[in-house]
Amino acid sequence: DVKVTQSSRYLVKRTGEKVFLECVQDMDHENMFWYRQDPGLGLRLIYFSYDVKMKEKGDIPEGYSVSREKKERFSLILESASTNQTSMYLCASAAWRATNEKLFFGSGTQLSVL
Amino acid sequence: EDKVVQSPLSLVVHEGDTVTLNCSYEVTNFRSLLWYKQEKKAPTFLFMLTSSGIEKKSGRLSSILDKKELFSILNITATQTGDSAIYLCALPGAGSYQLTFGKGTKLSVIP
């Protein structure tokens, strides 16, 4: 089974801190994604990457950046955390062939910014 | 812009009831529709539908797609408390690598 591992389950940070959320997948997937999930808003795509060192903005990239130095690892960076970035962050990976667009998700990181 | 609308947004039923969850969509270039179940943590994959009228089934869960009317339904029969979760519908965007998700249906099954 595909395993997508997020480094922290819960994280509490202060406004203005730099925050790193790490995600590692073990299935050699080309594509990796970062979503945030908020009540009433569903899952919204922040950034995705379809190859090492490649990144694309999703629907809500403002206030975030990403890094993909190795195929198995995709990091989400909050340069200066703000209270409106308090959310559940979900990482996902996919092989993304035309016949199989299934995402595999990590367990999520609940981030609270105080 | 691609759109995925799920209804109802929340639902409370008693154990043993049958429920139907809806997902309607507007996408430029349909390829597939996916259903996920999310309990307290990661969404887990349920079904991928690509063809109209062909039911996918897994135990008490089943799903069907209508590409003419642009919707899918997810049925759960004889619900159990373990079915309590958020059910998410998602579609790939045209020419892109990303999925567009609906807001989800929160199902609560009470004993």
Side-chain angles (χ1 to χ4, degrees):
Chain A
D1 268 357
V2 174
K3 195 161 183 194
V4 180
T5 304
Q6 292 184 232
S7 53
S8 305
R9 185 79 179 99
Y10 299 96
L11 213 49
V12 180
K13 296 291 180 181
R14 297 221 172 263
T15 302
E17 277 192 78
K18 190 168 185 175
V19 182
F20 292 87
L21 302 183
E22 306 285 347
C23 176
V24 177
Q25 50 96 1
D26 66 358
M27 280 301 291
D28 202 36
H29 283 166
E30 296 84 6
N31 305 285
M32 296 187 75
F33 307 81
W34 275 106
Y35 287 86
R36 65 177 279 178
Q37 186 175 27
D38 301 287
L41 297 177
L43 270 82
R44 293 179 291 165
L45 183 66
I46 306 171
Y47 267 98
F48 66 99
S49 168
Y50 52 90
D51 203 349
V52 175
K53 297 195 187 293
M54 306 304 288
K55 60 184 179 185
E56 292 281 345
K57 291 180 181 179
D59 299 318
I60 50 162
E62 297 79 19
Y64 303 94
S65 61
V66 289
S67 172
R68 187 131 181 238
E69 296 297 317
K70 292 185 178 180
K71 192 174 186 181
E72 68 271 18
R73 187 179 295 270
F74 192 34
S75 303
L76 180 70
I77 303 152
L78 287 66
E79 295 288 342
S80 177
S82 63
T83 54
N84 64 12
Q85 292 178 309
T86 291
S87 187
M88 170 68 82
Y89 289 88
L90 287 163
C91 174
S93 75
W96 210 271
R97 297 178 187 87
T99 56
N100 185 356
E101 287 152 323
K102 190 163 70 175
L103 294 185
F104 295 87
F105 285 88
S107 295
T109 297
Q110 180 63 53
L111 173 66
S112 297
V113 183
L114 308 177
Chain B
E1 187 184 316
D2 296 340
K3 237 193 246 183
V4 181
V5 178
Q6 291 187 246
S7 63
L9 290 181
S10 68
L11 191 54
V12 180
V13 300
H14 287 96
E15 265 191 318
D17 287 351
T18 293
V19 297
T20 299
L21 311 182
N22 302 287
C23 175
S24 63
Y25 62 89
E26 291 175 29
V27 293
T28 309
N29 182 20
F30 179 88
R31 300 201 296 274
S32 62
L33 184 147
L34 295 93
W35 284 98
Y36 284 84
K37 176 183 181 182
Q38 186 181 22
E39 296 173 87
K40 290 192 177 165
K41 39 182 186 169
T44 53
F45 172 78
L46 292 174
F47 299 113
M48 184 169 82
L49 303 158
T50 55
S51 302
S52 266
I54 298 174
E55 186 183 55
K56 293 266 179 120
K57 203 166 166 64
S58 175
R60 296 175 294 102
L61 276 68
S62 63
S63 183
I64 198 158
L65 175 68
D66 185 327
K67 285 163 77 171
K68 186 179 172 190
E69 299 298 330
L70 307 183
F71 75 92
S72 173
I73 59 172
L74 176 68
N75 274 323
I76 309 175
T77 57
T79 52
Q80 302 171 357
T81 54
D83 295 325
S84 296
I86 297 172
Y87 291 85
L88 298 165
C89 173
L91 286 91
S96 72
Y97 294 92
Q98 54 180 292
L99 291 181
T100 299
F101 282 85
K103 291 183 180 178
T105 294
K106 184 175 180 182
L107 174 66
S108 301
V109 182
I110 53 178

